[in-house]
Amino acid sequence: MSEAVGGVLLRRVRPYGEAETDIRIVGEEIAEIGTDLPVPAGAEVIEGGGAVVLPGFVDLHTHLREPGREDTETIATGSAAAARGGYTAVFAMANTDPVADNATVTDNVYRTGREVGLVDVHPVGAVTVGLQGRQLAEMGMMAAGAGRVRLFSDDGNCVDDPLVMRRALEYATGLGVLIAQHAEEPRLTVGAVAHEGPTATRLGLAGWPRAAEESIVARDALLARDAGARIHICHASTAGTVELIRWAKAQGISITAEVTPHHLLLTDERLSTYDGLNRVNPPLREASDTEALRSALADGVLDCVATDHAPHAMQDKCCEFAAARPGMLGLETALPIVVATLVAPGLLDWRGVARVMSERPAAIVGLPDQGRPIAVGEPANLTLVDPDRTWEVVPEDLASRSRNTPYTGMTMPAGITATLLRGRVTQLGGEVRW
Ligand SMILES: NC(=O)N[C@@H](CC(=O)O)C(=O)O
Ligand SMILES: [Zn+2]
């Protein structure tokens, strides 16, 4: 976990895609920014070649599967995938086995993440015991533990009982922590595997209506308003959710929302092959939804990108579509998809990418040392992006222990060339430095 003696010199990089400069890092901090800096004795020099440098990315929604399904991902392999994707902090969801509904589990996730040291792993605590939606978990104990849990979610499940959700919001407000809701009214999604629409009808797949998500988003906005609480919406997937969040924000309700790379890029038309790799919750929607999600991210109605990185064993994905487990990998392909869907069409510039990938997610959960400006004296949590490096997604090349990417064979329009966590190079050219 030690940084190179003499620090690191990033040569010819472009902060936020702007003018080329050098960045000198000493210890954990940015020590100097300027052109043609001399190479300090013993420093590692990284030739940027004009690469864009951004604050390290922060993912509010990662499934690391440890404890319980270490055959599909571990905190170590997931951290490596995160480093390769340009991330310096990830929030590890609570739907593990055992569930992270107590401080023993959340503290362990935190400690293991520290030992691995590639990315800051923040445990997410469950809102309810066993993700069952009935009894509130000991959120206070988890918040006060070594893992200092600041984000709580039953993700995978929705906290669907409105009274439980109301109590959870009140409790969270008292603790100064945030609840992230997987918005799904379960009585509208019984047996559902695909977006409810013409494609599902044609393919004979049971449909998941937009209203299953939107009704919970609307309800939770009102519950948060009445409790004076903050609420975060996981993986927003519909144009209607965008309109509800726009309305709630206009009312002064403290609501924030994330969108996944796959909901920005993919639509349910991909389901025609019945390939289980395309099954995900919430389901891939229609082009009118992806368009609304893209512009909402650009105009700030949606706050940030979160991967919902969801590793699964191939035997659980390569079966009949309806039997495939929902979820897809996301950490190593997130930035290129943001480039393809937002930067290339001119909806976001690199400052905007820094906002949705780093600054906003860090602010939402109140991380003091992430999402910071690239400036002297700031922690050196940095990501180098080569905007001209195209690469093809080959599942076997990914650092994740799982292979369930829907992007196999696709050409990605940008590459992450290096990641630094508090001055330590965690990956260079895709090579992870354990
Ligand atoms: N998104 C998914 O389809 N699956 C997630 C759970 C979740 O994020 O809802 C998983 O844990 O596999
Ligand atoms: Zn979810």
Side-chain angles (χ1 to χ4, degrees):
M1 292 193 57
S2 66
E3 61 279 349
V5 186
V8 178
L9 184 68
L10 302 179
R11 201 141 60 180
R12 295 187 50 226
V13 292
R14 293 185 293 132
Y16 310 101
E18 291 157 15
E20 213 170 88
T21 186
D22 298 344
I23 298 179
R24 187 163 67 87
I25 294 147
V26 177
E28 300 188 351
E29 286 181 2
I30 298 174
E32 196 176 1
I33 300 179
T35 46
D36 299 320
L37 295 182
V39 180
E44 174 173 9
V45 178
I46 295 177
E47 293 293 347
V52 174
V53 58
L54 299 175
F57 304 150
V58 176
D59 190 12
L60 296 183
H61 193 145
T62 314
H63 297 276
L64 292 181
R65 306 300 191 213
E66 182 177 347
R69 285 305 303 266
E70 291 85 348
D71 59 315
T72 62
E73 196 79 288
T74 64
I75 291 168
T77 59
S79 293
R84 286 180 44 139
Y87 287 88
T88 49
V90 300
F91 282 74
M93 277 296 175
N95 62 340
T96 49
D97 183 10
V99 170
D101 60 3
N102 61 81
T104 306
V105 177
T106 55
D107 287 358
N108 266 320
V109 168
Y110 174 76
R111 284 200 195 97
T112 308
R114 290 293 293 193
E115 278 161 28
V116 173
L118 291 172
V119 58
D120 288 344
V121 176
H122 295 280
V124 177
V127 177
T128 68
V129 174
L131 309 175
Q132 292 302 300
R134 285 187 282 275
Q135 187 191 342
L136 288 186
E138 282 286 7
M139 291 162 58
M141 302 275 279
M142 290 186 266
R148 302 180 62 85
V149 179
R150 56 184 82 221
L151 185 65
F152 290 85
S153 182
D154 275 4
D155 182 63
N157 294 346
C158 180
V159 182
D160 64 313
D161 183 320
L163 187 57
V164 173
M165 189 58 179
R166 183 184 166 127
R167 294 276 178 264
L169 288 167
E170 290 167 352
Y171 195 19
T173 304
L175 289 170
V177 298
L178 178 64
I179 293 185
Q181 175 72 294
H182 166 115
E184 173 189 357
E185 167 51 74
R187 283 152 290 199
L188 286 174
T189 59
V190 177
V193 296
H195 166 64
E196 184 181 85
T199 302
T201 305
R202 179 167 57 82
L203 300 175
L205 298 171
W208 172 314
R210 292 185 178 96
E213 174 172 313
E214 294 159 3
S215 58
I216 296 291
V217 172
R219 183 203 76 175
D220 285 0
L222 300 177
L223 292 177
R225 178 193 66 189
D226 291 357
R230 299 170 60 219
I231 174 83
H232 179 75
I233 301 298
C234 296
H235 41 50
S237 75
T238 78
T241 289
V242 167
E243 288 318 306
L244 288 163
I245 291 169
R246 192 190 309 277
W247 172 84
K249 285 186 170 180
Q251 310 306 302
I253 297 170
S254 295
I255 191 166
T256 53
E258 66 189 34
V259 58
T260 69
H262 47 274
H263 288 110
L264 290 170
L265 181 69
L266 308 176
T267 67
D268 66 348
E269 280 169 33
R270 291 175 63 87
L271 271 44
S272 309
T273 59
Y274 292 96
D275 187 340
L277 288 171
N278 294 313
R279 183 160 177 216
V280 66
N281 292 345
L284 302 178
R285 302 284 184 184
E286 297 179 42
S288 54
D289 298 293
T290 59
E291 278 161 32
L293 295 167
R294 290 177 193 189
S295 28
L297 192 61
D299 68 23
V301 170
L302 296 178
D303 295 85
C304 63
V305 172
T307 67
D308 193 5
H309 178 82
H312 287 293
M314 277 317 243
Q315 67 264 25
D316 294 325
K317 293 298 283 180
C318 293
C319 33
E320 190 204 340
F321 186 83
R325 294 208 183 170
M328 43 183 67
L329 300 182
L331 285 168
E332 294 172 75
T333 45
L335 182 276
I337 292 173
V338 167
V339 170
T341 57
L342 290 143
V343 179
L347 288 166
L348 275 189
D349 58 13
W350 291 108
R351 289 236 171 225
V353 175
R355 171 167 60 82
V356 301
M357 300 289 284
S358 179
E359 293 161 9
R360 285 297 295 147
I364 286 168
V365 282
L367 293 182
D369 62 341
Q370 298 276 351
R372 300 288 309 160
I374 301 173
V376 171
E378 293 288 353
N381 295 314
L382 299 170
T383 298
L384 257 66
V385 178
D386 183 343
D388 302 317
R389 208 199 104 213
T390 58
W391 57 285
E392 190 188 315
V393 180
V394 178
E396 290 68 33
D397 293 350
L398 299 173
S400 172
R401 185 162 279 184
S402 286
R403 298 285 169 255
N404 58 306
T405 173
Y407 309 114
T408 300
M410 269 191 206
T411 300
M412 293 284 146
I416 306 289
T417 52
T419 310
L420 285 86
L421 174 66
R422 285 185 288 279
R424 184 196 167 217
V425 180
T426 55
Q427 67 94 6
L428 182 62
E431 290 292 321
V432 175
R433 295 197 183 167
W434 292 96

